[in-house]
Amino acid sequence: MKTGEDPLWEQLWAPYDENTYAQVLSWIPAGATVLEIGAGDLRLARRIASRARLVYAIEIQPALLGVRSIPENVQVTVGDARDLPFPEKVDVAVLLMRHCTWFHLCRDKLVAAGCSRLITNARWRLGVELIDLALEPSAYDDLMIGWYACRCGATGFRSGPPEHLTRLVAETVAEVDQCPECRHRGS
Ligand SMILES: C[S@@+](CC[C@H](N)C(=O)[O-])C[C@H]1O[C@@H](n2cnc3c(N)ncnc32)[C@H](O)[C@@H]1O
C-alpha cells in the first residue's frame, strides 16, 4: 500500500515512445495471457490486446482510464499493484516503471503466481528487457565487475579488476541480489 514515503515520480503517468511499445509487443506471443502492472491510460494494453488472448491491466489512478471503451479481452483492475493478488496462468508480465521501489515485490508475486517472464525497463541503459524470472539471481558479492540489475530494482555498475572487463562482460547485465542499495534499504 501507498505510504507517505513513496517517491512522487512513481505516482506520475507519462507515455513511452513507439519504439518502446514496439519492443514490448515483439515479446508478446500471439494468443498469450498478459498482465500489465501500472497500465496508465491503457494505450499499451490496447496494443497488447491486438496480439494477446487476454490482458489483465492494473492501474492505481482511475482518472487515467478515461471514457473510451475498453477491448473485450482487457480486464482492468483499479488498485495498488502491491496489494492486489496477481492472476495465475499469466504467460508474460509487463512493468514499465524504471527502478520502482516495489520491483522486488512484483517479482516475488509473479514468481508465486507461476509467471516466469517479465518485460521491464529496469535496466541501466539497455532500454526494454525480457527477464527470465525462473533464473535465480546470484549474489552481488560474487560479481567481479560489470553491470548488474538487482532483484530490488536497483541497477548499476560494479567496478573491479579491469582485466576482467571483456566485451561480453561489458554487454551483459548480471541478475543479482543483496546489492549495496537493498542492503542500505534493509530489504
Ligand atoms: C511510467 S507509467 C507507464 C504507463 C503504461 N505502462 C504505459 O506504458 O503507457 C507507470 C504507471 O504506473 C502507475 N502506478 C504507479 N504506482 C502504482 C501502483 N502501486 N499500482 C498500480 N499502478 C501504479 C502510474 O499511475 C502510471 O500510470
Side-chain angles (χ1 to χ4, degrees):
M1 64 184 208
K2 290 265 168 194
T3 73
E5 293 177 0
D6 289 341
L8 180 62
W9 68 266
E10 284 187 0
Q11 298 157 40
L12 301 177
W13 172 77
Y16 285 98
D17 56 275
E18 285 301 326
N19 286 343
T20 298
Y21 293 143
Q23 184 61 73
V24 172
L25 287 179
S26 75
W27 282 320
I28 304 290
T33 298
V34 181
L35 168 64
E36 189 186 2
I37 303 162
D41 70 350
L42 300 182
R43 67 182 62 201
L44 176 57
R46 288 174 198 279
R47 287 166 171 79
I48 295 172
S50 65
R51 292 189 58 73
R53 185 183 69 81
L54 177 61
V55 183
Y56 297 106
I58 297 177
E59 173 52 50
I60 201 167
Q61 300 188 65
L64 291 176
L65 300 173
V67 291
R68 279 180 68 193
S69 66
I70 295 172
E72 273 184 8
N73 62 338
V74 177
Q75 285 186 20
V76 181
T77 304
V78 175
D80 190 328
R82 290 172 290 187
D83 300 333
L84 292 168
F86 285 176
E88 303 211 329
K89 299 198 168 84
V90 166
D91 298 302
V92 56
V94 180
L95 173 60
L96 293 187
M97 276 192 81
R98 195 177 286 267
H99 306 164
C100 71
T101 50
W102 35 276
F103 183 83
H104 63 294
L105 183 64
C106 283
R107 183 189 173 115
D108 291 349
K109 284 173 68 172
L110 288 169
V111 170
C115 177
S116 60
R117 282 184 288 177
L118 172 63
I119 299 170
T120 187
N121 57 353
R123 298 299 185 263
W124 187 261
R125 289 191 173 179
L126 288 182
V128 190
E129 238 197 313
L130 176 64
I131 300 177
D132 183 351
L133 297 174
L135 293 179
E136 277 298 313
S138 51
Y140 172 87
D141 287 343
D142 292 342
L143 181 66
M144 187 86 75
I145 187 171
W147 298 103
Y148 66 87
C150 184
R151 66 184 290 284
C152 75
T155 56
F157 185 86
R158 179 168 195 184
S159 55
E163 63 273 20
H164 290 280
L165 189 59
T166 61
R167 189 187 175 94
L168 180 64
V169 168
E171 290 175 352
T172 303
V173 180
E175 292 275 327
V176 302
D177 60 13
Q178 288 302 302
C179 75
E181 195 169 324
C182 61
R183 283 179 203 151
H184 177 71
R185 283 191 205 138
S187 61

